Amino acid sequence: MPNFKFNLNLNRIIWFYKYIFKKNFKMKAIEAKKKKIILRTISEIIEIKPIQIKLTNGIGDFEKWDSLAHIRIFLAIKKKLKYVGSTNNLSNVRTVNDWIKFFLNAK
């Protein structure tokens, strides 16, 4: 009888780890997709190839990335990702990496 209980608990543990792994893997895939959308959107608006953009690039680094383009970037990403959350931390967004953090941390 103890052997049966051990196998049952072991099966539950295995199932739990598989569940967590699948969920984590799915979340990573969603994050990667969102990052790609954000990068492509920025590149479309400032008319630069995505490969030329670094995570540290931000407002003022490219000729066409001014304050108006910054607003257009927000509106375009918001529309593509169907974002309806808060804009409280929007004033802290300056770089590509900031855009990614802003939309990935959004609930």
Side-chain angles (χ1 to χ4, degrees):
M1 195 68 131
N3 194 15
F4 175 73
K5 270 189 166 179
F6 176 74
N7 285 339
L8 185 62
N9 288 338
L10 185 60
N11 286 338
R12 284 184 180 173
I13 292 170
I14 290 170
W15 175 86
F16 177 74
Y17 279 110
K18 284 182 181 179
Y19 174 78
I20 295 297
F21 177 76
K22 284 181 185 177
K23 189 173 181 179
N24 202 12
F25 182 75
K26 188 176 181 180
M27 288 181 72
K28 293 286 184 191
I30 291 169
E31 286 179 8
K33 186 177 179 181
K34 284 184 177 181
K35 285 180 184 178
K36 195 173 187 178
I37 289 170
I38 292 167
L39 192 61
R40 280 189 180 167
T41 303
I42 293 171
S43 71
E44 289 169 5
I45 290 174
I46 62 172
E47 299 173 3
I48 299 286
K49 293 180 183 178
I51 198 162
Q52 294 175 316
I53 300 174
K54 298 176 186 170
L55 291 176
T56 57
N57 289 131
I59 190 167
D61 288 345
F62 297 101
E63 184 180 331
K64 296 203 176 189
W65 194 343
D66 56 7
S67 57
L68 183 58
H70 209 63
I71 294 169
R72 289 177 43 222
I73 288 169
F74 171 70
L75 295 174
I77 295 172
K78 178 182 172 183
K79 184 177 180 180
K80 288 182 181 181
L81 296 180
K82 299 175 182 163
Y83 178 75
V84 291
S86 173
T87 57
N88 290 343
N89 296 328
L90 192 57
S91 62
N92 298 332
V93 177
R94 303 263 186 254
T95 65
V96 175
N97 199 33
D98 292 341
W99 282 117
I100 291 170
K101 287 178 184 177
F102 180 81
F103 283 104
L104 287 184
N105 294 334
K107 298 290 177 192

